Amino acid sequence: MADRTGQRATHRATQHDLCMAEPDRIRNVVLVGPPTGGKTSLVEALALHTGAVTRAGRVEDGTTLSDFEEFERVHQRSAAMSVVPVVHGGTKINLIDTPGYVDFAGEVRAGLRAADAALLVVPANAATDGSLDEATRQMMREGVEAAVPSAVVVTKLDHARADLDLVVAAVSEELGDRVLPLFALTTEHAEVTGLTHLLAHEAASEEARAAHARLVEAIVEEAEDEQLMDDYLEGAEVGEEALVADVAEAMRHGLFHPVVPVCAATGVGLTELLDLVVAGFPAPASHPSPEVFTPAGKTAPPLTADPSGPLVAQVIGTTSDPYVGRLSMVRVFSGTLRPDQNLHVSGHASSFFGDASGHEDHDADERTGALSHPFGAASVPAPELVAGDIGCVSRLTTAETGDTLSTPEEPRVLKPWTAPDPQLPVAVEAATRSDEDKLSGALARLAAEDPSLRVERNAETHQVVLWVLGEAHAELALERLRSHGVEVAVSDVVVPLRERLTGAAKGHGRHVKQSGGHGQYAVCDVEVEPLPGGAGFEFADRVVGGAVPRQFVASVEKGVRAQMELGVRLGYPLVDLRANLTDGKAHSVDSSDMAFQAAGALALREAAESVGVVLLEPYDKVSVLVQDALVGETMSDLSARRGRLLGTDQVGSDRTLVHAVVPQTELVRYAVDLRAATHGVGTFTREFAHYEPMPEELAAKVPRRTR
């Protein structure tokens, strides 16, 4: 059995290794998988195996990271992406560990942008019922949709219910028939002790020989070498060296997903996995870079991972510390980033995604601070960051996650990755006056750190609303606010309601006061009627004979408008109204603009009291994506929320998009309820549709709005 501390380490990482300047000797690999898949344990095992850390928690050159327990603790945090570089065979591998929970899919997408390849991590006990659970499948889809070369890593071989063959079959259902094991397990007394490479001709068992034949056939079919295909069809023996080269080529093109079984606890498969990453995954120069534009939106020449090229890097993560300040983790796509360098920071998310991004476009020139290589919770100083590498930059006060760093002389903008759409609103308010003063800055830092979080300051409801992906995401946001020194309280989300008259009516407004000196005198008669939904407000002067002087007609309109904003029943804005001024009286001395505004408001209130007011609630058009087996349950739930079903669309082979219009009051907690009903994988989008009357039995329970 191999020692977990990695006595077989092939190379020990030194500070020089972490700062290598050759992009072709860098591999950026993101680990994607469910929360119980063993990603973090695998990263820790690889760090120990390669000597990147020891049990004392030190890099080989003596740089102190932290004790090993702290190293483990930080990597086990479910909410944060982390980077741990290791060195194998002279190649630096940046291992990007991502969270497995759906609430933190934004971190997964950031990790996929930073990477050139992915390890899809699946535990060996993940298919005990013959198929993968939805959480595993959803994380696997994230990796596949990013269109990066990938391999499947099956972990936890020592689990009591481990079944490699069953997991491979289940993964094949999701990814297709090009998911094939590269290794067979070597066992002793029912315990996995090692791996046998299936491309070698030494496979002893009949089962291993059959697996070897299937693997060779798959490789030959995908190979672009026609001679190799001819030799195979003629029965000639295909050389192992040629097969290995074709596997690497197929992996780089995303045509083949090799399976590597690994046990972090025993060390089985660690060397084989590292060999595969170095030989089969592309170097930065071999993987396409993101689309690049000028700040004006014009397409710019594509990037290459050339250290001498124009500097273009992207912020893939942001942290804020009250003592250290803002720290930006970046992936350098072109050029070389150096300390104390003048930079242009561009953030143009809304240019690509519209206002729904929640982040305003911004451009600023800044100067970099110190550079470092991330190492889990710690860091190693870096003299520079070359194209293809990942590192951290200090002192960038305006940079947000997703922003582009380039030179002021040749500014560039990389298209950001698509952040998950947050659909759970959480209303927060400062706990004290002192917290209120600090809240705005803390919210700005929160938004800069997390593109998946949207901060809304609702001018109508006067609430600050954090839009998040789920309850865990909400808890993390509140924790981060506290870390910025701000205590907040959570309150009920207020849905913006409206009021509308039920019919036509007349109102008489009389505002007459005498208190010595100039008094106040204004009388007006107003006829009002409701307009169709969305028609707005119309006002007309129908006065005959100048009963209301011309200069006060606009004052009556102002008064009506002001009362509409205040509402006439429960304090919600009155909408869709036509008002006609028909008569009135004025005084040559005591009439004034303010007096006729007050009279107009009184006239509207009297008219509303005589005819009645209906409460309107906003409806959203929602599209809910669920497994086919849950369509009926989802439709019933939407109907129970007073929704109207509009139809369905098939998505892929096993998912359905359900369309409906639903009151916003029924959607406040829908993100949480849908997650629970679909085992964590149901998603939905929504957009405002229109207002409709609220049922009177519900309207009767709505409290008066306070301002």
Side-chain angles (χ1 to χ4, degrees), residues 31 38-48 71 75 84 95 97:
L31 286 79
K39 300 185 300 297
T40 297
S41 296
L42 178 58
V43 170
E44 293 168 0
L46 291 170
L48 283 166
F71 179 79
H75 281 281
V84 175
L95 297 170
D97 189 9

Side-chain angles (χ1 to χ4, degrees), residues 28-30 32 111-120 142-151 251-257 281-282 287-288:
N28 296 307
V29 182
V30 62
V32 179
L112 285 162
R113 169 54 62 89
D116 302 305
L119 295 176
L120 308 179
E142 290 283 351
V144 172
E145 290 172 3
V148 296
S150 61
M251 285 176 62
R252 283 190 284 271
H253 287 85
L255 303 174
F256 183 56
H257 308 285
F281 281 158
H287 185 68

